[in-house]
Amino acid sequence: MKRLLLFCVFCVFAFVANAQVRTFYYKDSGYWVKLDLTKKVFILDGCASEPMRVLNYKKTGNKESFTTTDNGLTTHNEFVKKSDTDYTYYSWTTPSESKEKAVIEVTTKPVTIKDELEEDRPTETVAEKNPIKSVSDGVKGLFNKGKSLFKKDKSKGRSNAGKSIKAPKSAPVDDGSMPEK
């Protein structure tokens, strides 16, 4: 019963470990944007701007959308997931004379000059790519250890009563590689 309770606790930690604060780095520059869902704020790097309140957050499939307000202008933000670490960030402001959306390619992996030069070399571990996977692997390992405690040891029931089992010796097979006598 204790093991079942421990298993449930680890599962809860695995679900809570899902990142509620995510930083998206621009691929073409050193800027970033941060989305904090626990405090419901959106922070832009640079420009010394204040955190903006996240309104109307909605996640549908691979798209996350929300709005922020600043000085009477409403900014619509969308993150569309393309792969595990790559996203496309769309933003547009209303009311505005221009209806164009700003499109920026972003990633959750920090971009540095070293990363751009050594792009082909994978340096990430599985835990860095997906922290939930590493937690779930740990939970599986603990679960399997617990399962092994309840398995019966089949070798204890057998006894040879002092008998030794020896394999019969046979002459080596001549396949042509051995020298003749």
Side-chain angles (χ1 to χ4, degrees), residues 69-74 94-95:
T69 57
D70 188 31
N71 297 330
L73 298 175
T74 302
T94 55

Side-chain angles (χ1 to χ4, degrees), residues 101-145:
K101 292 183 180 182
V103 180
I104 302 167
E105 296 298 320
V106 294
T107 182
T108 56
K109 179 181 157 189
V111 176
T112 61
I113 294 173
K114 181 180 176 185
D115 288 341
E116 292 172 2
L117 296 176
E118 300 175 11
E119 202 170 74
D120 299 332
R121 237 180 57 194
T123 57
E124 297 181 339
T125 62
V126 174
E128 289 174 353
K129 286 184 180 179
N130 191 351
I132 294 176
K133 177 153 177 56
S134 65
V135 170
S136 66
D137 288 345
V139 170
K140 284 180 189 176
L142 286 175
F143 181 71
N144 289 335
K145 281 183 183 178

Side-chain angles (χ1 to χ4, degrees), residues 23-133:
T23 304
F24 298 96
Y25 300 92
Y26 291 13
K27 285 187 174 181
D28 58 350
S29 68
Y31 291 107
W32 51 265
V33 292
K34 188 179 286 188
L35 176 61
D36 186 349
L37 295 177
T38 55
K39 296 178 183 176
K40 297 205 181 249
V41 295
F42 184 65
I43 303 166
L44 296 169
D45 179 34
C47 303
S49 63
E50 294 292 317
M52 296 178 275
R53 273 194 30 223
V54 172
L55 306 170
N56 307 324
Y57 177 81
K58 182 170 78 171
K59 181 172 183 174
T60 308
N62 65 343
K63 182 168 74 168
E64 298 176 59
S65 61
F66 58 93
T67 58
T68 58
T69 57
D70 188 31
N71 297 330
L73 298 175
T74 302
T75 304
H76 302 272
N77 303 285
E78 285 184 359
F79 288 97
V80 179
K81 186 174 187 176
K82 296 189 321 184
S83 69
D84 286 341
T85 58
D86 295 333
Y87 290 79
T88 303
Y89 170 53
Y90 299 97
S91 68
W92 66 98
T93 305
T94 55
S96 173
E97 295 175 9
S98 170
K99 298 291 182 185
E100 291 183 27
K101 292 183 180 182
V103 180
I104 302 167
E105 296 298 320
V106 294
T107 182
T108 56
K109 179 181 157 189
V111 176
T112 61
I113 294 173
K114 181 180 176 185
D115 288 341
E116 292 172 2
L117 296 176
E118 300 175 11
E119 202 170 74
D120 299 332
R121 237 180 57 194
T123 57
E124 297 181 339
T125 62
V126 174
E128 289 174 353
K129 286 184 180 179
N130 191 351
I132 294 176
K133 177 153 177 56

Side-chain angles (χ1 to χ4, degrees), residues 8-20 132 135:
C8 292
V9 168
F10 279 122
C11 287
V12 168
F13 282 133
F15 290 119
V16 172
N18 189 2
Q20 295 295 315
I132 294 176
V135 170

